[in-house]
Amino acid sequence: MTTPSPSSLVPVSLIEGDGIGPEIAAATVRAIDTIGGRIRWERVPAGMNAITTAGDPVPKATLDSIETNQLALKGPLATPSGGGHRSVNVALRQHFDLYANVRPAKTIPGVPCRYDNVDLIIVRENTEDLYAGIEHYIDSRRSAAESIAVITRHGSERVITYAFEYARKHGRKRVTLVHKANILKMTNGLFLDVGKELAKKYADIAFDDMIVDATAMKMVVSPERFDVIVTMNLFGDILSDLAAGLVGGLGVAPASNIGASIAPGRDWPCAIFEAVHGTAPDIAGKGIANPTGLMLSAAMLLDHIDQRDVAERLRKGVFAALADPASRTGDLGGTANTQKFTDAVIAAAQR
Ligand code: ATP
């Protein structure tokens, strides 16, 4: 493998995170650097470790680094409780207007699950809906509370467009828009209308829509029917965890959060890639964590910056390492540690 020249390297902000974060980040960086990734990693703090070192879970230097690079890979973060500290994920989402959360769910041989044929993507709107934060009690006795869902044409257009563009770029055949427009006629009706309108511009991609309750049932009965699902914030939150459950849980799931802005000189929008699992404090520091979730998130990052050859090699390596009982980590019933798993990923990626 030839060493890439420094000028060809793409700078990426690396948030190692808390708990097992530093271990799985080190494994992921080693794998990517060894198999020919053209990335310059810029380590920046966030989470509990950043409270200790910088007094803030999201230090300004971290935001500045992501602002400049427009790209971040993020390990799991412990949520600071009390003390008035802000949630890192909310802060990042708001600061960079990360409007699309993308969660692939694919059956992986070697990862125990109930299905052998799932391969779907959930694109969730990440800024609107009931998460707009407009809630109040109607009186001081708290006899009732109200929450307002906000759906805008602009918000709907950008996330549905992203879903169609993603489908096109990744050779996907169908986009299914999930909603509850039979009851929520204006908010969900608007989202559905925008989807139908945009579908006319993507004649090469099949389009259909489905009520959310029917979707939940069909995802369990015949998940292979789905390709790309696009939906609003609350339904997306629930369905993306449902989808992860179809393929073995959150432990190996990757995710990306896509922003709206494209910085000068960049060909891609701002995006943050992250493992979905938590910090696993029970095994932190033991060298036995499974880096699959972060590695597959990094593969999405490599796709995003058009290093698709490296992304494919990395996925090939991860899938091969998971398929071999000798290189599986303890969470998947194996005995390999993080280093052994990573060695197997690298070896298989280079074959
Ligand atoms: P948090 O409070 O950050 O959500 P948690 O321990 O409550 O952490 P997870 O981190 O998701 O939740 O962990 C749930 C279980 O799965 C734990 O037993 C943990 O050790 C295990 N686990 C999670 N991620 C991994 C991983 N990448 N490798 C190995 N085990 C993991």
Side-chain angles (χ1 to χ4, degrees):
M1 199 80 47
T2 52
T3 311
S5 75
S7 63
S8 70
L9 300 181
V10 176
V12 173
S13 306
L14 176 65
I15 297 173
E16 296 183 333
D18 299 309
I20 56 171
E23 296 160 64
I24 59 174
T28 303
V29 166
R30 176 160 77 92
I32 292 176
D33 289 353
T34 312
I35 67 171
R38 300 173 293 282
I39 290 181
R40 179 170 61 73
W41 303 100
E42 199 170 290
R43 285 179 172 73
V44 288
M48 288 302 258
N49 63 81
I51 297 180
T52 315
T53 55
D56 185 344
V58 210
K60 181 166 180 314
T62 297
L63 293 176
D64 289 347
S65 165
I66 302 173
E67 184 85 53
T68 305
N69 298 333
Q70 297 278 297
L71 285 171
L73 180 66
K74 180 164 83 65
L77 300 174
T79 312
S81 53
H85 287 301
R86 51 196 174 144
S87 148
V88 179
N89 288 333
V90 172
L92 293 175
R93 191 181 316 141
Q94 289 176 347
H95 190 89
F96 297 105
D97 195 13
L98 303 171
Y99 68 92
N101 179 260
V102 183
R103 293 257 299 262
K106 184 172 162 48
T107 314
I108 307 176
V111 177
C113 72
R114 290 172 183 274
Y115 302 87
D116 58 9
N117 53 356
V118 180
D119 184 8
L120 61 87
I121 308 281
I122 303 217
V123 179
R124 162 191 174 191
E125 203 291 323
N126 220 10
T127 62
E128 303 192 329
D129 199 1
L130 281 167
Y131 292 67
I134 309 170
E135 272 198 308
H136 58 259
Y137 297 109
I138 66 158
D139 60 21
S140 57
R141 288 171 33 243
R142 308 204 316 178
S143 35
E146 292 174 337
S147 180
I148 295 176
V150 176
I151 302 292
T152 68
R153 183 174 291 280
H154 168 70
S156 305
E157 269 169 8
R158 65 182 182 173
V159 76
I160 298 167
T161 300
Y162 184 84
F164 275 113
E165 290 293 333
Y166 184 100
R168 203 174 252 177
K169 184 171 173 190
H170 294 266
R172 299 265 168 179
K173 304 277 180 270
R174 173 180 299 275
V175 170
T176 301
L177 183 149
V178 174
H179 61 88
K180 187 78 184 174
N182 53 335
I183 305 295
L184 303 168
K185 292 184 192 302
M186 292 186 198
T187 49
N188 284 226
L190 175 59
F191 192 77
L192 177 58
D193 286 348
V194 170
K196 285 181 175 166
E197 209 41 52
L198 283 170
K200 293 179 195 155
K201 290 208 296 194
Y202 293 89
D204 50 323
I205 313 280
F207 174 78
D208 59 2
D209 70 275
M210 200 178 282
I211 306 282
V212 64
D213 37 331
T215 308
M217 198 262 294
K218 285 205 175 113
M219 279 175 71
V220 173
V221 173
S222 45
E224 72 286 350
R225 180 223 174 273
F226 294 96
D227 197 346
V228 175
I229 289 175
V230 63
T231 188
M232 291 153 284
N233 209 340
L234 179 59
F235 298 157
D237 190 8
I238 298 164
L239 293 183
S240 50
D241 270 23
L242 193 162
L246 298 176
V247 297
L250 297 178
V252 296
S256 66
N257 297 283
I258 308 295
S261 65
I262 300 184
R266 288 273 184 276
D267 295 331
W268 51 78
C270 177
I272 299 182
F273 299 81
E274 63 188 354
V276 177
H277 62 72
T279 57
D282 51 335
I283 57 163
K286 296 185 177 162
I288 56 172
N290 180 355
T292 296
L294 196 63
M295 286 186 178
L296 294 178
S297 303
M300 294 178 83
L301 184 154
L302 291 160
D303 278 337
H304 187 74
I305 59 174
D306 284 329
Q307 294 189 22
R308 299 183 78 169
D309 52 335
V310 191
E312 278 317 308
R313 277 204 293 283
L314 181 58
R315 280 194 197 96
K316 186 176 100 176
V318 170
F319 294 154
L322 290 170
D324 180 357
S327 48
R328 265 180 232 150
T329 46
D331 54 314
L332 299 177
T335 54
N337 60 16
T338 311
Q339 184 178 347
K340 188 169 178 197
F341 176 83
T342 308
D343 290 344
V345 170
I346 293 169
Q350 290 177 324
R351 271 201 286 275

